[in-house]
Amino acid sequence: MGAASIKQSSKVHPTNTQDPVTEQHVQDVNLIWVGALLNNSNEVIMRENLQTVNHYVQLIPDIDAFRAHLPEEKAEKIFVVINGTLAKDFIDKFHDNSLIDSIFIFDNHPTSESQEVYEGLQLSFVKVASFTEFNAMKLHIATSIKELLQQTVAFGMFDDKQKLARDLNRDAASFLWFQMLLDVLKGIPQENKEKRIMLDMCRRIYHDNSKEMKLIREFDKDYKSTTAVWWYTRECFLYRLVNKALRQEDIRFLQVYRFFIVDLCNQLEQEHRKRVENDSDDKDKIIDLYRGQQMTKAEKDKLKSNLNSLISTNGFFSTSQNIETAITFAKRRGTGRSDIVPVVFHIKAKSNLESVIFADIANLGAMPGEAEYLFSIGAVFHIDEIKHDSEERIWRVTMTATDKGAKSRKEYIEKTKLDMEETSEDVLFGRLLIDMSQYEDAESYYQSMLSTISSNHVDHAAIYHNLGRAKGYKGDLNGAQESFLLALRDRQHIDEKHPNVARTLNSIGIIYGEQGKYTKAMNTFKDALEIQELYSSSLNGSNKPQKRSISLNMAITYSNMGWVYYLCGEFEKAKKAHCKALDIRKQYLTDEHPLIADYYSSIGSIEHAQGLYKEALANYTTSLNMRRKTLPQNHPSIANSYQLLGELGHDNGKYDKALAQYKIVEEMRIASFGVDHSSLASIYKSIGSVHLDCGQYQTALDNYNHALSICKKTLSEMHPAFGDCYHMLGMVFERQEKYDMALQSYSKSRDNFSKVLPKNHPMIAKVVSSIGNVQMRQMKYAQAIRMYEDVLKMQEECLSNTQHHPDIVLTLNNFGVVYSMMRDFQQSETYFTKALDICNRCFASDHPTKARIFHNMGDMYKAMSHLEKAHANFIQAFNIRENTLSDDHLSTADTCYKLGWVCSELRDFNDALFYFNKCLGIYQSVGAQRMSVIDDRDVKRVTTSIRLVKRELEIE
């Protein structure tokens, strides 16, 4: 297709312009050239040429290389210039990629045929434009990038329901974080070197960009605090770097740029105060301001769903007094794109607001004459109305600037104080980073704080405590334990019996529980409870706020104890501990408070484990309904409720319902965190497990690999989530009878777990058990037995206080199966009997695990030719599966076939026909729903059996 002056023979290697340290921060927009370079050009010249448009440039030789180097989610938007010869193929493959904002076809000598193709692509694909003049294309790209950056603004939402929640959702945490950001930045001691540190970073980022380096030198020479607005509004490095750091809530870079950010905020505040003083005679004066921008449909829908809530801008917010300017700006980019909608904000702002700072910068900016008002960091608005203007074809959002953000911040601080937690805003600021799931940033922030304060500073223990929380959430259990122990040391040094000591002990206990050190965890919780009870008894009747606080903290301890009892399989003790927590909470909280909902969720989990599925469903549903009433939309606790309901449906064999619940969780987490958050790995593993049990192995693999890819992007390789992914991948390979691949995955899983967890941790035991299962399938029975012996030893060490844990049941069952295969039926029967004995102590009478054991015992007696005993055990398995699983569960079909065979051997052909027909009916039902993959050999086997039985009964 034409392109006569394009240097087709030029070999282009994938290149970029950044070193690894600064790359992720700079690339708010990626400009990527795909294909051969221009004639008489080389990589250096081309890169310098394109850098006059956008600093971050990549040169990619072809489509395959583009796919391999496609940036991950951290790259906000991509602009692609594609060689005309590659255009159609590229657009077909990548047009719908959400990261790609625009595609520019360049062909400086198109033929009439190729020009017709380009015009067709522009009509068919809204992101596409074509050019024959290089400079014209550069100008268009530069304008598009500028408009994109001006329109890119993030919001944080705050719903009044959030006030009840102990754990903030991400939006609320982000909202409060920006309310505190400026004070935190101002509170960091300003030193003479701050400007140098900022400019050194800028030079490192733009070292190969002569245009920006010239501006950096100019800034270094001429900048004064009174010119902060002028520099911010100038087209240069500052606008992009500062706004990117604010938009991504990147505290590390915000600390680097705080020198300039504080100056800019101070100048805006000075102008704001001048206006307030000038308008003192008109205290009710309202200033009408407007902002036009493009938003995705998802962003617009999020605004609609938060009508009458508070919204905070994550950065500086530019507005105009001219509504026509706003409307024009809203329509300027891509109005024909189906994924983008134009939005005009109408903001009503009282002139004398105290905490919302905004100023007229028409005479301060680099572009004088523009009627621009700039809002400072953390401006808060109330969303009054959202409606569609069909005449203008825009969405109109009416908002009122409000000081309620400062009130929400104050209430949050008072609430944490009431809960006997941190009151220092510097410490709370880092806690909000944790609530925002920015664990690395929180860890870096607290480490920075520790480096600037003395060991006897009032916040020293609190910083270590929250540093432990950040490390724990990112999976660094050993690092978390170390930090918590340092916090404990500091707090015990001040007062061994202070409630804060109990709080840190609770955190240490949780780490022990995660490590599988259940005895240590329980003892630590008991130590915490002893301190809390002693403190509570010391309070007199008039100190009601502290009595309430210490009591609610005791409830947390009881709940933690219930969690450890649950992990140990001590289900009745777990229920009692949670009931104690509930009794305390009912004294101080409303009937539908989120902490009351937590109780029903915990009890539901215990009943789920016991096989009391109807009771578990009722409690899960009660918890979900409470959370939906009292928590903001998409709160993590609501998502967790849906995930628990999905797991219950999965265990019941109701796969379609399970997948429907998991889909809700996926959508909620994407709405809250984006497509690559670590919490999504969990849901993709759950979805994969449903497809695994349905025999849909490729779909299961796809989901497990998706989970693994998210872990690689978001977590340290030492995180146990990696081991879990490898274990699940191994389970698919095992089912596919790809035993070598299964063992390789199990080995990876075991290696991962062994690096971060104690040697007898339950997760390691499960992997070793899976290795034994593969060896049993390979008929390497002696090796399998050695594995199961190792597993049982681990479980007995880890669960030293209880010998009737569900995990032990499964290990004893495995022993029974392998000895049965070895025809050592005496040993097999002994192990099955032990397994059933434990089942009777920890499970409901019709738990599916009991059905599995009865079924395996039926197989054992069948192999022994003890048909009556085989029949009795298969009947037990059938009755349990009929009562607890879905009507078309394949496990029931398997038992029905075995019963039919035994009945046939016993010459009871009527019963044999009944069970064979039931088996076939399940296969047909499942096949019709296409939920599970049915092996044709199984269908043929049962139809043959039905034909033979009918012959015996002389039925045609």
Side-chain angles (χ1 to χ4, degrees):
M1 280 187 218
S5 292
I6 290 182
K7 190 177 179 182
Q8 302 292 348
S9 61
S10 176
K11 177 70 173 177
V12 183
H13 300 278
T15 63
N16 61 55
T17 62
Q18 294 305 318
D19 66 72
V21 177
T22 57
E23 179 180 339
Q24 72 173 48
H25 177 58
V26 175
Q27 50 181 309
D28 51 354
V29 173
N30 289 358
L31 178 56
I32 303 179
W33 177 285
V34 181
L37 302 181
L38 290 176
N39 192 29
N40 300 320
S41 180
N42 59 42
E43 292 180 15
V44 174
I45 294 172
M46 177 62 80
R47 184 164 58 248
E48 289 178 350
N49 204 333
L50 292 174
Q51 275 188 324
T52 62
V53 175
N54 186 70
H55 173 64
Y56 191 85
V57 172
Q58 285 181 292
L59 307 177
I60 304 291
D62 52 44
I63 292 175
D64 289 339
F66 176 85
R67 181 185 289 107
H69 289 81
L70 186 65
E72 297 173 357
E73 187 66 17
K74 66 183 181 183
E76 292 193 354
K77 286 298 176 184
I78 301 169
F79 283 64
V80 177
V81 180
I82 183 75
N83 180 334
T85 58
L86 305 176
K88 189 176 187 309
D89 189 23
F90 181 90
I91 291 167
D92 287 341
K93 287 182 169 68
F94 297 106
H95 180 273
D96 293 334
N97 187 299
S98 61
L99 292 178
I100 297 177
D101 181 273
S102 301
I103 301 170
F104 304 97
I105 304 170
F106 182 72
D107 188 340
N108 52 351
H109 288 288
T111 64
S112 57
E113 178 188 354
S114 60
Q115 186 62 42
E116 185 177 338
V117 171
Y118 303 152
E119 290 173 359
L121 291 171
Q122 289 183 91
L123 289 173
S124 301
F125 299 96
V126 294
K127 296 180 181 180
V128 176
S130 68
F131 293 87
T132 59
E133 293 290 334
F134 187 74
N135 288 332
M137 181 181 70
K138 280 175 54 180
L139 179 62
H140 186 89
I141 294 173
T143 302
S144 296
I145 290 175
K146 178 183 176 181
E147 291 173 354
L148 172 68
L149 292 174
Q150 287 175 333
Q151 295 186 11
T152 303
V153 62
F155 296 104
M157 313 288 183
F158 193 86
D159 189 317
D160 275 348
K161 288 181 178 179
Q162 186 64 70
K163 294 175 183 178
L164 288 174
R166 180 177 179 81
D167 299 315
L168 301 174
N169 66 4
R170 196 199 184 287
D171 269 336
S174 176
F175 177 96
L176 292 168
W177 190 79
F178 271 97
Q179 298 309 297
M180 295 183 183
L181 174 61
L182 184 55
D183 284 347
V184 169
L185 293 179
K186 286 183 176 180
I188 298 172
Q190 289 277 19
E191 302 176 10
N192 293 330
K193 63 181 180 180
E194 300 301 319
K195 179 181 175 183
R196 177 178 57 78
I197 290 172
M198 183 186 89
L199 292 181
D200 283 349
M201 175 61 74
C202 295
R203 290 187 183 102
R204 186 174 180 183
I205 292 169
Y206 290 105
H207 67 94
D208 58 351
N209 189 316
S210 57
K211 174 187 172 184
E212 296 296 346
M213 287 296 289
K214 181 179 178 182
L215 290 168
I216 291 169
R217 288 192 294 271
E218 182 183 339
F219 181 93
D220 193 10
K221 177 175 175 290
D222 298 339
Y223 176 78
K224 298 177 183 178
S225 61
T226 54
T227 61
V229 171
W230 188 87
W231 274 100
Y232 177 76
T233 55
R234 190 177 181 185
E235 288 187 33
C236 70
F237 61 97
L238 278 171
Y239 181 87
R240 290 182 69 164
L241 293 180
V242 169
N243 283 340
K244 176 72 184 296
L246 287 166
R247 195 164 56 247
Q248 293 203 332
E249 298 154 344
D250 192 327
I251 188 58
R252 291 168 293 183
F253 282 99
L254 288 172
Q255 287 174 318
V256 172
Y257 305 139
R258 69 180 182 270
F259 159 78
F260 177 74
I261 292 171
V262 170
D263 276 358
L264 178 56
C265 291
N266 284 341
Q267 189 176 11
L268 290 174
E269 186 169 357
Q270 288 169 10
E271 294 298 315
H272 176 88
R273 300 302 174 205
K274 287 179 188 177
R275 187 195 65 250
V276 170
E277 186 176 342
N278 291 337
D279 294 341
S280 59
D281 293 337
D282 187 3
K283 294 183 178 179
D284 295 324
K285 179 180 178 180
I286 301 291
I287 301 175
D288 288 294
L289 300 169
Y290 305 91
R291 176 183 173 87
Q293 72 178 73
Q294 298 283 317
M295 303 184 80
T296 65
K297 285 185 175 180
E299 289 170 333
K300 180 264 297 178
D301 291 341
K302 186 174 183 179
L303 285 175
K304 286 185 70 176
S305 66
N306 282 276
L307 188 66
N308 295 317
S309 295
L310 298 181
I311 183 173
S312 171
T313 57
N314 293 10
F316 299 98
F317 193 61
S318 175
T319 62
S320 171
Q321 286 187 291
N322 189 326
I323 188 172
E324 295 304 322
T325 299
I327 292 174
T328 301
F329 204 82
K331 293 181 175 182
R332 191 174 294 173
R333 294 190 74 243
T335 51
R337 291 175 57 164
S338 60
D339 58 329
I340 298 292
V341 294
V343 178
V344 171
F345 291 92
H346 175 196
I347 299 159
K348 295 177 286 186
K350 285 186 69 174
S351 179
N352 63 349
L353 289 169
E354 283 294 319
S355 60
V356 176
I357 305 299
F358 63 106
D360 180 355
I361 62 168
N363 297 321
L364 299 174
M367 289 172 279
E370 292 194 5
E372 182 178 2
Y373 272 73
L374 187 63
F375 284 84
S376 189
I377 293 172
V380 175
F381 309 94
H382 181 273
I383 306 175
D384 303 324
E385 184 182 42
I386 302 176
K387 63 181 182 181
H388 187 257
D389 183 336
S390 56
E391 185 175 338
E392 289 284 357
R393 297 181 181 179
I394 59 174
W395 283 88
R396 294 185 182 270
V397 180
T398 305
M399 305 194 300
T400 301
T402 175
D403 284 332
K404 289 182 180 179
K407 180 184 176 184
S408 298
R409 165 182 168 173
K410 182 179 179 182
E411 288 174 346
Y412 173 67
I413 294 169
E414 289 299 319
K415 184 177 184 297
T416 55
K417 182 178 180 180
L418 190 62
D419 290 340
M420 289 188 172
E421 297 180 3
E422 291 82 14
T423 56
S424 162
E425 288 201 28
D426 288 341
V427 178
L428 285 175
F429 187 75
R431 273 187 51 163
L432 290 171
L433 284 170
I434 295 173
D435 288 330
M436 290 152 65
S437 300
Q438 295 181 199
Y439 309 130
E440 294 280 356
D441 285 350
E443 182 179 358
S444 174
Y445 173 76
Y446 285 128
Q447 293 283 18
S448 177
M449 286 186 72
L450 286 171
S451 69
T452 59
I453 64 172
S454 64
S455 59
N456 60 357
H457 190 280
V458 65
D459 290 334
H460 201 257
I463 293 169
Y464 268 124
H465 181 95
N466 283 281
L467 181 60
R469 291 181 66 233
K471 290 180 177 180
Y473 277 116
K474 60 180 262 195
D476 181 6
L477 300 182
N478 293 329
Q481 181 180 330
E482 179 183 350
S483 294
F484 284 135
L485 288 172
L486 289 169
L488 182 67
R489 177 203 64 189
D490 286 355
R491 286 175 165 168
Q492 286 179 330
H493 180 73
I494 297 169
D495 181 355
E496 288 187 348
K497 301 301 180 183
H498 192 276
N500 275 340
V501 174
R503 184 164 163 260
T504 299
L505 285 171
N506 259 316
S507 295
I508 293 171
I510 289 171
I511 296 299
Y512 285 143
E514 294 284 359
Q515 291 175 328
K517 300 175 181 178
Y518 302 136
T519 301
K520 277 190 171 184
M522 187 60 69
N523 289 337
T524 305
F525 292 143
K526 287 178 179 177
D527 289 343
L529 185 62
E530 182 182 341
I531 292 171
Q532 290 166 336
E533 289 175 336
L534 183 65
Y535 185 83
S536 178
S537 65
S538 70
L539 297 173
N540 58 46
S542 62
N543 202 338
K544 291 183 179 179
Q546 280 195 307
K547 183 71 173 178
R548 176 187 186 278
S549 178
I550 194 65
S551 296
L552 290 174
N553 275 278
M554 287 169 64
I556 292 172
T557 306
Y558 278 121
S559 182
N560 289 340
M561 293 169 74
W563 168 66
V564 173
Y565 281 131
Y566 164 79
L567 293 176
C568 290
E570 300 276 3
F571 297 134
E572 294 307 318
K573 288 182 180 180
K575 288 180 181 178
K576 288 179 182 178
H578 285 300
C579 284
K580 287 182 179 179
L582 178 66
D583 290 342
I584 293 171
R585 286 168 175 164
K586 280 187 171 180
Q587 296 176 44
Y588 300 100
L589 305 175
T590 59
D591 289 342
E592 292 187 332
H593 191 281
L595 288 174
I596 304 294
D598 288 351
Y599 161 81
Y600 289 103
S601 181
S602 297
I603 295 298
S605 293
I606 295 168
E607 291 166 340
H608 186 170
Q610 289 179 298
L612 301 169
Y613 294 148
K614 290 181 180 179
E615 293 86 346
L617 177 61
N619 278 302
Y620 284 159
T621 303
T622 298
S623 178
L624 173 62
N625 291 337
M626 287 183 175
R627 287 169 171 171
R628 290 178 64 183
K629 286 181 182 178
T630 58
L631 293 174
Q633 184 183 25
N634 293 332
H635 191 278
S637 293
I638 298 176
N640 290 343
S641 282
Y642 281 115
Q643 184 151 1
L644 289 171
L645 285 166
E647 290 170 1
L648 185 65
H650 182 185
D651 288 346
N652 270 301
K654 298 175 181 177
Y655 299 136
D656 53 345
K657 289 185 177 180
L659 290 174
Q661 302 286 7
Y662 291 152
K663 184 65 176 176
I664 293 172
V665 179
E666 178 189 17
E667 291 171 353
M668 290 178 70
R669 289 181 177 161
I670 288 175
S672 295
F673 304 117
V675 298
D676 279 337
H677 190 265
S678 57
S679 65
L680 278 157
S682 168
I683 200 63
Y684 290 128
K685 285 186 282 189
S686 295
I687 292 170
S689 294
V690 173
H691 289 292
L692 176 65
D693 285 346
C694 291
Q696 298 169 345
Y697 299 134
Q698 187 55 52
T699 307
L701 277 175
D702 291 344
N703 277 280
Y704 290 151
N705 278 318
H706 193 175
L708 181 60
S709 71
I710 291 174
C711 291
K712 288 179 178 178
K713 294 175 185 176
T714 59
L715 300 172
S716 160
E717 290 184 1
M718 299 286 283
H719 197 287
F722 280 86
D724 202 29
C725 289
Y726 291 130
H727 187 197
M728 290 178 167
L729 287 168
M731 291 168 66
V732 180
F733 296 137
E734 182 183 339
R735 297 277 187 94
Q736 292 177 313
E737 300 182 4
K738 298 176 181 178
Y739 298 133
D740 288 343
M741 294 177 69
L743 289 172
Q744 287 175 10
S745 291
Y746 291 150
S747 178
K748 283 185 179 180
S749 176
R750 188 177 186 179
D751 288 345
N752 170 267
F753 287 147
S754 298
K755 291 174 183 176
V756 293
L757 299 172
K759 63 180 181 180
N760 60 355
H761 193 279
M763 294 177 80
I764 297 177
K766 287 178 181 178
V767 176
V768 176
S769 183
S770 293
I771 294 171
N773 293 343
V774 171
Q775 291 169 337
M776 180 170 62
R777 289 173 183 267
Q778 292 177 313
M779 294 187 289
K780 298 176 181 178
Y781 300 132
Q783 293 180 37
I785 288 172
R786 284 197 294 272
M787 287 294 169
Y788 295 148
E789 287 172 345
D790 289 344
V791 171
L792 189 59
K793 183 179 179 182
M794 292 180 195
Q795 291 167 339
E796 288 173 343
E797 288 175 356
C798 183
L799 305 164
S800 56
N801 291 336
T802 176
Q803 295 302 313
H804 54 271
H805 191 277
D807 288 353
I808 295 177
V809 173
L810 297 177
T811 303
L812 295 174
N813 175 70
N814 289 340
F815 272 118
V817 172
V818 73
Y819 277 116
S820 179
M821 288 182 169
M822 295 172 67
R823 302 192 68 78
D824 187 343
F825 298 123
Q826 183 177 357
Q827 282 277 52
S828 178
E829 188 173 27
T830 298
Y831 279 109
F832 283 140
T833 302
K834 287 181 180 179
L836 279 176
D837 180 57
I838 296 177
C839 279
N840 290 330
R841 283 188 277 170
C842 63
F843 289 146
S845 59
D846 56 357
H847 194 282
T849 299
K850 292 181 73 173
R852 182 194 299 188
I853 297 168
F854 280 128
H855 182 98
N856 290 337
M857 290 182 74
D859 276 338
M860 176 191 70
Y861 287 124
K862 174 174 168 285
M864 295 168 66
S865 298
H866 293 177
L867 298 183
E868 293 291 348
K869 287 186 176 181
H871 182 271
N873 279 278
F874 285 136
I875 285 290
Q876 292 267 39
F878 172 76
N879 289 336
I880 292 173
R881 286 173 169 167
E882 279 273 278
N883 290 335
T884 58
L885 302 178
S886 60
D887 293 339
D888 53 4
H889 200 281
L890 291 179
S891 295
T892 307
D894 192 19
T895 300
C896 284
Y897 181 81
K898 297 290 178 65
L899 269 171
W901 187 92
V902 171
C903 288
S904 181
E905 290 296 306
L906 292 171
R907 312 295 294 173
D908 185 352
F909 296 118
N910 286 312
D911 278 0
L913 184 60
F914 170 80
Y915 289 117
F916 284 144
N917 276 329
K918 190 165 185 65
C919 175
L920 181 61
I922 292 172
Y923 288 157
Q924 290 172 338
S925 174
V926 170
Q929 297 174 52
R930 297 184 178 179
M931 272 301 299
S932 296
V933 177
I934 306 300
D935 193 324
D936 289 340
R937 292 171 297 180
D938 291 336
V939 176
K940 184 176 181 180
R941 182 183 61 177
V942 73
T943 52
T944 300
S945 298
I946 290 172
R947 187 175 68 252
L948 293 174
V949 169
K950 283 184 174 181
R951 184 184 301 167
E952 292 289 343
L953 292 170
E954 298 182 351
I955 299 175
E956 291 297 329

